[in-house]
Amino acid sequence: MRFEALQKVAIALSQERSLAALLKRIVSELGRYRGVALARVWLVGPAAECEICRSKPDAPDRRHSLHLSASAGRPLKGGGDWSRRDGDFHCGGPKVRQINDKGKPVLIKDIREDDKWIEKPDWARRERIRSFAGHPLLFGGEQV
C-alpha cells in the first residue's frame, strides 16, 4: 500500500467521532485496495456486554472475549456479506486468537506453504487468498 493511500485513510479517520464508525471506516477503506480481500477488527471486552455473545447459548462468560467489531471486503464473484459481525467468526479463529493471546503480529506470506492456518480451504481457493497479516491493536500501551 502506498503512502498516499495511507494518508487518505488517515484523513478520513480523523473525521469520525464514534468508535463504531471509525472501525467501520478503517475496514471499508482497507477493503477497497486491490489485493485486500478482507479487513477485520476484533476488540477485547466482556462477553456479557456484547449483544452477539449474549445471543449465543454456549457463549463463554469471560471478561476478555474477542468481538468482531468491524468487517469489510469484496468477494471475487458476488454473494456473501463480508460486513457481517455475527456467526462463528465473531470470537475469532486460531490466527486471531493467537494474535490476541501472544500480543504479537502474524504474517503468512504464502498460505499454501503454511496451510495450518486455513480454516476454510475451499473459500481460500475460491477467493484466491494468498497471504494473511494480523496485528494486535495497542492503545496507551495496552492491547485492545
Side-chain angles (χ1 to χ4, degrees):
M1 195 176 301
R2 296 187 327 250
F3 174 75
E4 295 83 22
L6 291 174
Q7 189 176 31
K8 180 182 173 190
V9 170
I11 291 169
L13 297 179
S14 69
Q15 300 169 2
E16 296 299 341
R17 299 291 177 239
S18 78
L19 178 60
L22 175 69
L23 296 176
K24 184 175 181 179
R25 186 80 177 254
I26 289 170
V27 297
S28 294
E29 290 292 331
L30 290 173
R32 287 188 179 134
Y33 291 98
R34 185 178 180 175
V36 175
L38 183 60
R40 288 184 166 163
V41 175
W42 281 264
L43 296 179
V44 177
E49 293 179 12
C50 175
E51 183 179 329
I52 296 169
C53 286
R54 284 194 317 265
S55 70
K56 293 182 176 189
D58 60 341
D61 186 23
R62 299 186 327 203
R63 291 181 40 202
H64 300 288
S65 295
L66 285 167
H67 310 281
L68 180 57
S69 299
S71 180
R74 301 174 306 200
L76 287 176
K77 295 182 182 176
D81 180 5
W82 290 8
S83 65
R84 289 182 49 212
R85 296 182 302 118
D86 60 348
D88 294 337
F89 42 78
H90 177 74
C91 297
K95 295 183 296 284
V96 173
R97 287 193 299 270
Q98 176 180 317
I99 293 165
N100 180 61
D101 293 346
K102 294 185 178 184
K104 296 188 184 227
V106 169
L107 174 61
I108 303 166
K109 292 182 180 183
D110 188 343
I111 62 172
R112 294 170 298 183
E113 295 176 13
D114 195 356
D115 63 0
K116 71 180 179 206
W117 295 103
I118 303 173
E119 293 177 60
K120 298 180 179 181
D122 292 339
W123 175 81
R125 273 191 298 281
R126 184 177 65 245
E127 293 298 328
R128 292 188 230 148
I129 304 298
R130 295 186 188 120
S131 59
F132 170 87
H135 201 285
L137 296 175
L138 303 173
F139 180 76
E142 292 191 33
Q143 192 169 303
V144 295

